[in-house]
Short mmCIF file of all heavy atoms in Angstrom, two decimals:
data_model
loop_
_atom_site.label_atom_id
_atom_site.label_comp_id
_atom_site.label_asym_id
_atom_site.label_seq_id
_atom_site.Cartn_x
_atom_site.Cartn_y
_atom_site.Cartn_z
N ILE A 855 19.27 -57.80 80.08
CA ILE A 855 19.62 -59.12 80.36
C ILE A 855 21.04 -59.43 79.93
O ILE A 855 21.37 -59.22 78.77
CB ILE A 855 18.68 -60.17 79.72
CG1 ILE A 855 17.27 -60.02 80.31
CG2 ILE A 855 19.25 -61.64 80.05
CD1 ILE A 855 16.27 -60.96 79.59
N ILE A 856 21.89 -59.65 80.85
CA ILE A 856 23.26 -59.91 80.53
C ILE A 856 23.69 -61.40 80.53
O ILE A 856 23.38 -62.16 81.45
CB ILE A 856 24.17 -59.24 81.58
CG1 ILE A 856 23.95 -57.71 81.51
CG2 ILE A 856 25.69 -59.57 81.22
CD1 ILE A 856 24.68 -56.91 82.65
N ASN A 857 23.94 -61.97 79.38
CA ASN A 857 24.10 -63.35 79.24
C ASN A 857 25.48 -63.81 79.40
O ASN A 857 25.70 -65.09 79.59
CB ASN A 857 23.69 -63.83 77.79
CG ASN A 857 22.16 -63.65 77.61
OD1 ASN A 857 21.42 -63.81 78.52
ND2 ASN A 857 21.78 -63.40 76.42
N GLY A 858 26.48 -62.99 79.45
CA GLY A 858 27.79 -63.46 79.66
C GLY A 858 28.43 -63.90 78.31
O GLY A 858 28.12 -63.19 77.29
N ARG A 859 29.18 -64.88 78.34
CA ARG A 859 29.78 -65.41 77.07
C ARG A 859 28.75 -66.11 76.18
O ARG A 859 27.89 -66.79 76.59
CB ARG A 859 30.83 -66.36 77.40
CG ARG A 859 31.99 -65.79 78.21
CD ARG A 859 33.07 -66.81 78.66
NE ARG A 859 34.10 -66.18 79.30
CZ ARG A 859 34.36 -66.51 80.59
NH1 ARG A 859 33.74 -67.45 81.29
NH2 ARG A 859 35.38 -65.87 81.21
N GLU A 860 29.04 -65.94 74.94
CA GLU A 860 28.26 -66.51 73.83
C GLU A 860 28.48 -68.09 73.87
O GLU A 860 29.63 -68.47 73.94
CB GLU A 860 28.55 -65.92 72.49
CG GLU A 860 27.56 -66.37 71.39
CD GLU A 860 27.93 -65.83 70.09
OE1 GLU A 860 28.11 -64.57 70.09
OE2 GLU A 860 27.84 -66.43 69.11
N ARG A 861 27.40 -68.87 73.78
CA ARG A 861 27.62 -70.32 73.76
C ARG A 861 27.98 -70.85 72.36
O ARG A 861 27.66 -70.30 71.41
CB ARG A 861 26.37 -71.00 74.33
CG ARG A 861 26.13 -70.74 75.75
CD ARG A 861 24.89 -71.44 76.18
NE ARG A 861 24.61 -71.10 77.56
CZ ARG A 861 25.14 -71.72 78.63
NH1 ARG A 861 25.83 -72.88 78.46
NH2 ARG A 861 24.85 -71.41 79.86
N ARG A 862 28.61 -71.98 72.32
CA ARG A 862 28.84 -72.73 71.15
C ARG A 862 29.80 -71.93 70.12
O ARG A 862 29.47 -72.02 68.85
CB ARG A 862 27.64 -73.09 70.46
CG ARG A 862 26.77 -74.13 71.19
CD ARG A 862 27.50 -75.50 71.20
NE ARG A 862 26.70 -76.44 72.02
CZ ARG A 862 27.05 -77.58 72.28
NH1 ARG A 862 28.19 -78.00 71.89
NH2 ARG A 862 26.31 -78.37 73.01
N ARG A 863 30.70 -71.24 70.56
CA ARG A 863 31.64 -70.58 69.64
C ARG A 863 32.59 -71.58 69.10
O ARG A 863 32.93 -72.64 69.67
CB ARG A 863 32.46 -69.50 70.50
CG ARG A 863 33.51 -68.85 69.57
CD ARG A 863 34.29 -67.75 70.35
NE ARG A 863 35.15 -67.22 69.38
CZ ARG A 863 36.06 -66.27 69.78
NH1 ARG A 863 35.96 -65.74 70.92
NH2 ARG A 863 37.10 -65.91 68.90
N ARG A 864 32.77 -71.43 67.83
CA ARG A 864 33.70 -72.37 67.12
C ARG A 864 35.09 -71.79 67.12
O ARG A 864 35.31 -70.69 66.65
CB ARG A 864 33.31 -72.61 65.61
CG ARG A 864 31.84 -73.13 65.54
CD ARG A 864 31.83 -74.48 66.01
NE ARG A 864 30.46 -75.11 65.87
CZ ARG A 864 29.72 -75.82 66.58
NH1 ARG A 864 30.37 -76.08 67.77
NH2 ARG A 864 28.56 -76.29 66.36
N TRP A 865 36.03 -72.54 67.69
CA TRP A 865 37.38 -72.10 67.77
C TRP A 865 38.33 -72.64 66.70
O TRP A 865 38.20 -73.90 66.54
CB TRP A 865 38.03 -72.42 69.17
CG TRP A 865 37.31 -71.68 70.34
CD1 TRP A 865 36.26 -72.20 71.10
CD2 TRP A 865 37.62 -70.42 70.86
NE1 TRP A 865 35.89 -71.31 72.02
CE2 TRP A 865 36.72 -70.12 71.83
CE3 TRP A 865 38.62 -69.50 70.55
CZ2 TRP A 865 36.81 -69.02 72.68
CZ3 TRP A 865 38.61 -68.28 71.28
CH2 TRP A 865 37.68 -68.03 72.31
N GLU A 866 39.12 -71.83 66.07
CA GLU A 866 39.97 -72.25 65.03
C GLU A 866 41.14 -73.02 65.76
O GLU A 866 41.52 -72.67 66.96
CB GLU A 866 40.59 -71.25 64.24
CG GLU A 866 39.45 -70.49 63.38
CD GLU A 866 38.99 -71.31 62.20
OE1 GLU A 866 39.75 -72.09 61.67
OE2 GLU A 866 37.84 -71.15 61.85
N LEU A 867 41.75 -73.91 65.27
CA LEU A 867 42.90 -74.67 65.78
C LEU A 867 44.03 -73.70 66.11
O LEU A 867 44.57 -73.80 67.30
CB LEU A 867 43.44 -75.78 64.88
CG LEU A 867 44.64 -76.56 65.34
CD1 LEU A 867 44.30 -77.30 66.61
CD2 LEU A 867 45.18 -77.57 64.34
N ALA A 868 44.33 -72.82 65.26
CA ALA A 868 45.32 -71.77 65.52
C ALA A 868 44.96 -70.95 66.83
O ALA A 868 45.95 -70.69 67.57
CB ALA A 868 45.59 -70.88 64.30
N GLU A 869 43.81 -70.59 66.98
CA GLU A 869 43.39 -69.77 68.27
C GLU A 869 43.56 -70.70 69.39
O GLU A 869 44.14 -70.19 70.38
CB GLU A 869 41.89 -69.42 68.10
CG GLU A 869 41.67 -68.34 67.08
CD GLU A 869 40.21 -68.03 67.11
OE1 GLU A 869 39.39 -68.94 66.68
OE2 GLU A 869 39.78 -66.92 67.50
N LYS A 870 43.19 -71.90 69.38
CA LYS A 870 43.38 -72.84 70.48
C LYS A 870 44.73 -72.98 70.96
O LYS A 870 45.16 -72.89 72.06
CB LYS A 870 42.78 -74.15 70.16
CG LYS A 870 41.30 -74.33 70.12
CD LYS A 870 40.93 -75.70 69.74
CE LYS A 870 39.38 -75.81 69.44
NZ LYS A 870 38.99 -77.26 69.15
N LEU A 871 45.67 -73.23 69.89
CA LEU A 871 47.07 -73.37 70.11
C LEU A 871 47.69 -72.09 70.78
O LEU A 871 48.51 -72.22 71.69
CB LEU A 871 47.80 -73.84 68.87
CG LEU A 871 47.36 -75.19 68.40
CD1 LEU A 871 48.01 -75.47 67.02
CD2 LEU A 871 47.76 -76.33 69.43
N ARG A 872 47.28 -70.89 70.26
CA ARG A 872 47.78 -69.71 70.73
C ARG A 872 47.40 -69.52 72.14
O ARG A 872 48.23 -69.08 73.07
CB ARG A 872 47.34 -68.55 69.89
CG ARG A 872 47.80 -67.16 70.30
CD ARG A 872 47.17 -66.02 69.58
NE ARG A 872 45.74 -66.06 69.74
CZ ARG A 872 45.08 -65.65 70.88
NH1 ARG A 872 45.71 -65.19 71.88
NH2 ARG A 872 43.71 -65.55 70.86
N ILE A 873 46.16 -69.72 72.52
CA ILE A 873 45.69 -69.61 73.88
C ILE A 873 46.31 -70.60 74.89
O ILE A 873 46.73 -70.26 76.07
CB ILE A 873 44.18 -69.63 73.95
CG1 ILE A 873 43.54 -68.52 73.11
CG2 ILE A 873 43.64 -69.59 75.42
CD1 ILE A 873 42.08 -68.65 72.79
N VAL A 874 46.47 -71.84 74.41
CA VAL A 874 47.13 -72.84 75.25
C VAL A 874 48.55 -72.50 75.42
O VAL A 874 49.06 -72.55 76.60
CB VAL A 874 47.02 -74.23 74.63
CG1 VAL A 874 47.91 -75.20 75.32
CG2 VAL A 874 45.58 -74.67 74.70
N ALA A 875 49.31 -71.99 74.42
CA ALA A 875 50.66 -71.55 74.56
C ALA A 875 50.76 -70.40 75.55
O ALA A 875 51.65 -70.38 76.44
CB ALA A 875 51.27 -71.20 73.19
N GLU A 876 49.89 -69.38 75.50
CA GLU A 876 49.81 -68.27 76.33
C GLU A 876 49.61 -68.78 77.83
O GLU A 876 50.27 -68.25 78.79
CB GLU A 876 48.68 -67.36 75.99
CG GLU A 876 48.65 -66.16 76.89
CD GLU A 876 47.54 -65.23 76.32
OE1 GLU A 876 47.00 -65.29 75.36
OE2 GLU A 876 47.17 -64.29 77.30
#
Side-chain angles (χ1 to χ4, degrees):
I855 299 174
I856 301 172
N857 293 330
R859 297 178 179 118
E860 186 176 322
R861 294 184 181 266
R862 296 287 181 186
R863 179 172 174 184
R864 302 291 183 218
W865 294 93
E866 297 288 328
L867 178 60
E869 287 179 296
K870 291 179 184 180
L871 293 174
R872 180 188 58 77
I873 295 168
V874 167
E876 184 180 340

